[in-house]
Amino acid sequence: MPKVRTTPLSRRGLLAAGGAVGLGSALAACGGSDLKASGSGSSAGKSGPWTFKDDRGQTVKAAKVPKNIVAFTGVAAALHDYGIEVKGVFGPTKTKDGKADVQAGDLDISKVEILGNVWGEFNVEKYAALGPELLVTAMWEKDALWYVPDQSKDKILKLAPSVALWAAQTTIPKAIQRHEDLAASLGADVRAAAVTDAKARFEKAAARLRAAAKAKPNIKVMIGSASQDLFYVSLAKTSADTLYFQELGVRFVGPKVNAAGFFEELSWENVDKYDADIIMMDNRSSALQPDALTSRPTWARLPAVKAGQVIPRTTEPIYSYDKCAPILEDLAKAIEGAKKVS
């Protein structure tokens, strides 16, 4: 499992290795549902030309609908929920004990080629052997392909067209729509009962979270991520999930972010800098989980920790209605049951 490293990292590397994810609001917002795919749910079995306009603004074209697809693990998991399967994945897929990483969702990881499991890994030879027709990944920074290593990017991108979908500078509903647009263009039936039922559940969960936030306006939430040496407090408006929660009325701690604009780094001695009633903790395998922090006295003394009001945060959501509905439900439940402790 990757740790926050002490050697220099790119900004994307730091986002991947631990800490909060997202970008400052100074960058122009993109990736909304106004960018439409050329396909629709009726494109299943389509054999003609295929096009898709991605969130870079690039129109990707192919002579036929791509079948040999390779994707970042979380994107592959979202496509799976729409019935689109991939040949290979890259990014956190398998934990040390061989189980599926949280970012793999319902993927059967025994049936996909894992090209890389941690930041910086991407086996170009295995990728080429798959005969890729399309590469799909997330985008946290404009034009930067998530988990596609800079040092091998040119070789990788020569082998197949690529699609990038925003994971920041957007909100959960917009991100889901874009993943659905792509799935539809690839032949998914987005009007299937499983999809429409999941959407109805998502909308119900959003209404519940809005009501919970309105009923308890004094509850303040802190977005945290832990490493061995540092505790990161994220700015809500820089990530698709927490920006959406904020739009629904949830109140968040506002950290004094560093120059990059997305989180503040605190030493463990200063982890009590901000008052919070609920702490949402990064659930990725790259971050220390709450049960690994019990021996840290400064953590144990936090009011939210003492009150048992620490919940997981799905820092990199799988953008399907099926996977995002429970995220909203869990936060709503936490707020409904929270006591004011700060």
Side-chain angles (χ1 to χ4, degrees), residues 94-238:
K94 184 184 293 186
T95 60
K96 280 186 176 180
D97 59 5
K99 296 179 180 179
D101 188 275
V102 66
Q103 294 189 60
D106 291 333
L107 283 178
D108 184 343
I109 63 172
S110 70
K111 293 183 178 180
V112 292
E113 184 75 55
I114 301 174
L115 304 177
N117 199 53
V118 298
W119 182 259
E121 283 185 359
F122 193 114
N123 191 312
V124 182
E125 289 74 23
K126 286 185 178 181
Y127 178 58
L130 290 173
E133 296 174 331
L134 181 66
L135 180 144
V136 190
T137 191
M139 185 168 63
W140 292 93
E141 300 174 88
K142 179 65 173 173
D143 298 329
L145 302 183
W146 193 233
Y147 271 80
V148 176
D150 290 336
Q151 63 270 26
S152 54
K153 178 179 65 175
D154 292 343
K155 292 180 180 179
I156 293 166
L157 296 183
K158 285 180 181 177
L159 295 171
S162 62
V163 163
L165 299 177
W166 274 117
Q169 305 182 51
T170 187
T171 62
I172 285 180
K174 291 178 181 179
I176 292 175
Q177 183 61 58
R178 293 297 291 142
H179 285 70
E180 185 172 292
D181 290 343
L182 177 60
S185 80
L186 294 170
D189 180 4
V190 298
R191 297 180 181 86
V195 176
T196 57
D197 288 351
K199 183 176 182 179
R201 179 183 173 186
F202 176 88
E203 292 172 345
K204 183 178 179 180
R208 178 182 173 184
L209 180 54
R210 186 188 297 276
K214 185 176 181 179
K216 292 194 171 181
N218 294 326
I219 295 296
K220 187 178 289 188
V221 180
M222 181 164 66
I223 310 159
S225 184
S227 73
Q228 196 64 38
D229 301 317
L230 294 171
F231 185 81
Y232 302 85
V233 181
S234 179
L235 188 64
K237 67 181 180 181
T238 58

Side-chain angles (χ1 to χ4, degrees), residues 3-336:
K3 303 292 185 183
V4 176
R5 297 156 235 182
T6 56
T7 52
L9 283 172
S10 68
R11 180 160 64 168
R12 283 191 299 141
L14 181 58
L15 297 177
V21 293
L23 295 172
S25 60
L27 298 176
C30 299
S33 59
D34 56 324
L35 296 173
K36 297 297 182 183
S38 62
S40 69
S42 62
S43 63
K46 179 182 174 183
S47 58
W50 175 84
T51 65
F52 184 83
K53 188 175 182 180
D54 78 352
D55 290 352
R56 295 170 295 184
Q58 296 183 12
T59 299
V60 187
K61 299 180 180 181
K64 59 181 181 179
V65 177
K67 298 298 182 185
N68 286 354
I69 304 167
V70 173
F72 172 68
T73 303
V75 176
L79 291 175
H80 170 83
D81 286 350
Y82 286 102
I84 303 297
E85 304 299 341
V86 304
K87 298 290 186 180
V89 296
F90 55 95
T93 306
K94 184 184 293 186
T95 60
K96 280 186 176 180
D97 59 5
K99 296 179 180 179
D101 188 275
V102 66
Q103 294 189 60
D106 291 333
L107 283 178
D108 184 343
I109 63 172
S110 70
K111 293 183 178 180
V112 292
E113 184 75 55
I114 301 174
L115 304 177
N117 199 53
V118 298
W119 182 259
E121 283 185 359
F122 193 114
N123 191 312
V124 182
E125 289 74 23
K126 286 185 178 181
Y127 178 58
L130 290 173
E133 296 174 331
L134 181 66
L135 180 144
V136 190
T137 191
M139 185 168 63
W140 292 93
E141 300 174 88
K142 179 65 173 173
D143 298 329
L145 302 183
W146 193 233
Y147 271 80
V148 176
D150 290 336
Q151 63 270 26
S152 54
K153 178 179 65 175
D154 292 343
K155 292 180 180 179
I156 293 166
L157 296 183
K158 285 180 181 177
L159 295 171
S162 62
V163 163
L165 299 177
W166 274 117
Q169 305 182 51
T170 187
T171 62
I172 285 180
K174 291 178 181 179
I176 292 175
Q177 183 61 58
R178 293 297 291 142
H179 285 70
E180 185 172 292
D181 290 343
L182 177 60
S185 80
L186 294 170
D189 180 4
V190 298
R191 297 180 181 86
V195 176
T196 57
D197 288 351
K199 183 176 182 179
R201 179 183 173 186
F202 176 88
E203 292 172 345
K204 183 178 179 180
R208 178 182 173 184
L209 180 54
R210 186 188 297 276
K214 185 176 181 179
K216 292 194 171 181
N218 294 326
I219 295 296
K220 187 178 289 188
V221 180
M222 181 164 66
I223 310 159
S225 184
S227 73
Q228 196 64 38
D229 301 317
L230 294 171
F231 185 81
Y232 302 85
V233 181
S234 179
L235 188 64
K237 67 181 180 181
T238 58
S239 295
D241 60 334
T242 48
L243 173 59
Y244 183 53
F245 303 156
Q246 198 170 48
E247 290 180 352
L248 292 175
V250 178
R251 290 185 62 210
F252 287 97
V253 166
K256 295 180 179 179
V257 296
N258 59 21
F262 38 85
F263 57 75
E264 179 178 0
E265 300 135 318
L266 300 177
S267 67
W268 282 102
E269 290 77 13
N270 295 315
V271 74
D272 61 351
K273 180 176 179 179
Y274 296 106
D275 294 330
D277 304 295
I278 295 173
I279 303 175
M280 299 179 68
M281 290 294 289
D282 186 348
N283 75 338
R284 294 177 297 173
S285 56
S286 56
L288 293 181
Q289 298 306 303
D291 59 2
L293 305 176
T294 55
S295 63
R296 296 177 181 268
T298 51
W299 168 260
R301 289 197 296 265
L302 293 177
V305 175
K306 290 195 291 185
Q309 296 179 174
V310 177
I311 62 172
R313 177 201 176 197
T314 304
T315 305
E316 293 188 52
I318 294 167
Y319 289 115
S320 68
Y321 290 113
D322 181 70
K323 295 299 182 294
C324 287
I327 296 173
L328 272 63
E329 291 167 349
D330 290 346
L331 182 54
K333 181 179 179 181
I335 293 174
E336 289 165 355

